[in-house]
Amino acid sequence: MDIATSWSTETGTRVAFNGAMAKLIGRLGDSPHYLLTYFTEEYSTEELHQALASLPLSVKVHGCSSCLGVMTEDGMH
């Protein structure tokens, strides 16, 4: 099992999602099978839902909201 994290501080929800996914795929070498997604109040839940819905059905998604930041192996964002 490979586990990786990625993140983005881009201001646009879709831009942030695409950047974080590209970084994640780069770290894993392939699309994830399970995606645990945290996002802050700065992002549109509707836009994030649309982005997540565009993933292949094989990707299982768990979404969580956070306030003021999220923690990854790269630090606090």
Side-chain angles (χ1 to χ4, degrees):
M1 176 189 317
D2 294 319
I3 298 173
T5 65
S6 66
W7 53 273
S8 177
T9 55
E10 293 289 338
T11 56
T13 302
R14 185 57 94 144
V15 173
F17 177 83
N18 290 342
M21 281 301 295
K23 187 183 298 184
L24 184 62
I25 291 168
R27 288 181 172 183
L28 291 172
D30 199 359
S31 292
H33 296 243
Y34 178 78
L35 185 63
L36 179 58
T37 305
Y38 278 84
F39 64 100
T40 65
E41 71 281 0
E42 298 293 320
Y43 295 101
S44 162
T45 56
E46 181 60 34
E47 287 181 48
L48 182 57
H49 180 262
Q50 290 172 0
L52 291 167
S54 72
L55 294 172
L57 292 176
S58 61
V59 180
K60 304 304 180 217
V61 176
H62 183 104
C64 307
S65 62
S66 181
C67 181
L68 302 177
V70 295
M71 181 68 99
T72 72
E73 73 234 30
D74 295 324
M76 181 72 169
H77 309 283

